[in-house]
Amino acid sequence: INSALSLLAFTLAKSDKRQLSKRTQARLDPIIQKMQQIWADPKVKLVASSSPMDAILYYHFKMQQPEEAYRVLQSIIQSQTKYLRPTIHGINTVLSSFAKQGNVEMARSLVEEMLSPESTPRGRRRLPSPNVVTFNALLDAIAKCGDQDAGIKAEEVLNWMENLSIHADAISYSAAIQAWSKSRHPQSAEKAEAILRHMIDLQVSGARSHVAPNEMTFSSVIHAWSLSGRPDATERATEVM
């Protein structure tokens, strides 16, 4: 029954593209409450599935409640059993919640927690290893924070990914470009364009054909030049086009 409720919860939550409408929330609230009651009931025989908790985490993501999503995740981590374990999908959902707020500190802390070698009493790693989606959420948080050193932080994350043999994709590079373009750093335009040129080189060489820049990528670099205050800004922006 909980799997069926999970599917229903996901379907309803995804029906609203951004934040949940009041109507959808009213339909979802009793479903989420029922799922939590089932998991808390020791008399209920559970099957090995984490999808109900992933559905609850996604609900808090759509409700823009990152702190509550993190609280639920921590409860899963602390009480995990063979029936209930944190999943990469669920953790990435929590990271995306922090990213929406531009909360770099909490996003980075969770990524570092995922990389911890700490294990459960059963010898299983407490958390799954991060993937490219994980780091893209962290990069998104950095891009949204608006700090002057956001671009620097984004490039540090790209280097971090390479050191872990996690290849950045088009989303990763585009987020780093946005971090530079929004940072108002004196070198933001040059740095943003350098990443764009790197993406093009990777694509042309065939090394990573999936990192092709899109219209938004080019627009972010042009935006960075428009804010640079440089006398040659118009010329440089035109060259990007």
Side-chain angles (χ1 to χ4, degrees):
I1 184 172
N2 226 9
S3 294
L5 289 173
S6 301
L7 179 59
L8 179 58
F10 271 123
T11 302
L12 284 172
K14 290 178 180 179
S15 64
D16 293 339
K17 291 186 177 180
R18 296 188 178 181
Q19 188 173 0
L20 294 180
S21 65
K22 290 183 178 180
R23 179 185 178 189
T24 302
Q25 182 184 347
R27 296 172 67 188
L28 263 173
D29 284 348
I31 297 173
I32 297 298
Q33 291 171 10
K34 182 64 176 178
M35 290 167 63
Q36 291 173 322
Q37 289 171 3
I38 292 174
W39 277 106
D41 190 347
K43 298 179 182 178
V44 177
K45 185 177 180 180
L46 300 172
V47 296
S49 172
S50 294
S51 59
M53 282 305 176
D54 282 351
I56 292 172
L57 292 173
Y58 187 69
Y59 164 79
H60 290 302
F61 164 72
K62 292 300 290 282
M63 288 292 292
Q64 299 185 20
Q65 298 171 336
E67 291 79 11
E68 186 62 21
Y70 184 72
R71 186 195 66 76
V72 172
L73 176 62
Q74 289 300 319
S75 70
I76 298 171
I77 293 171
Q78 297 302 323
S79 61
Q80 61 179 297
T81 67
K82 64 179 180 178
Y83 300 117
L84 179 64
R85 295 192 294 272
T87 67
I88 187 67
H89 177 75
I91 296 172
N92 287 344
T93 297
V94 178
L95 279 166
S96 296
S97 296
F98 287 128
K100 275 193 169 187
Q101 287 190 335
N103 192 332
V104 180
E105 183 179 355
M106 287 301 298
R108 186 180 182 92
S109 175
L110 185 50
V111 174
E112 291 174 344
E113 192 174 351
M114 295 174 75
L115 290 167
S116 170
E118 189 176 349
S119 59
T120 67
R122 294 172 177 266
R124 188 185 295 120
R125 289 189 77 251
R126 294 178 73 245
L127 294 175
S129 299
N131 58 18
V132 66
V133 178
T134 306
F135 281 100
N136 285 350
L138 175 56
L139 285 164
D140 188 32
I142 293 171
K144 285 184 169 67
C145 75
D147 293 345
Q148 189 175 32
D149 62 348
I152 297 172
K153 291 178 180 177
E155 293 214 21
E156 288 175 349
V157 171
L158 291 178
N159 292 331
W160 192 9
M161 293 171 69
E162 290 298 321
N163 291 336
L164 293 170
S165 298
I166 298 175
H167 295 307
D169 59 14
I171 296 174
S172 315
Y173 288 120
S174 295
I177 287 173
Q178 287 188 36
W180 275 116
S181 68
K182 295 177 180 179
S183 69
R184 298 299 182 97
H185 188 280
Q187 292 183 304
S188 62
E190 289 94 338
K191 294 292 188 179
E193 184 175 339
I195 296 175
L196 173 62
R197 300 297 179 193
H198 180 59
M199 292 176 72
I200 294 172
D201 289 344
L202 287 174
Q203 181 194 15
V204 172
S205 68
R208 295 187 204 168
S209 58
H210 62 287
V211 299
N214 56 28
E215 183 178 343
M216 181 64 71
T217 313
F218 283 96
S219 296
S220 295
V221 176
I222 293 171
H223 179 66
W225 276 115
S226 71
L227 296 176
S228 67
R230 290 264 299 269
D232 61 342
T234 301
E235 181 181 348
R236 294 295 295 269
T238 302
E239 289 176 0
V240 170
M241 294 187 285

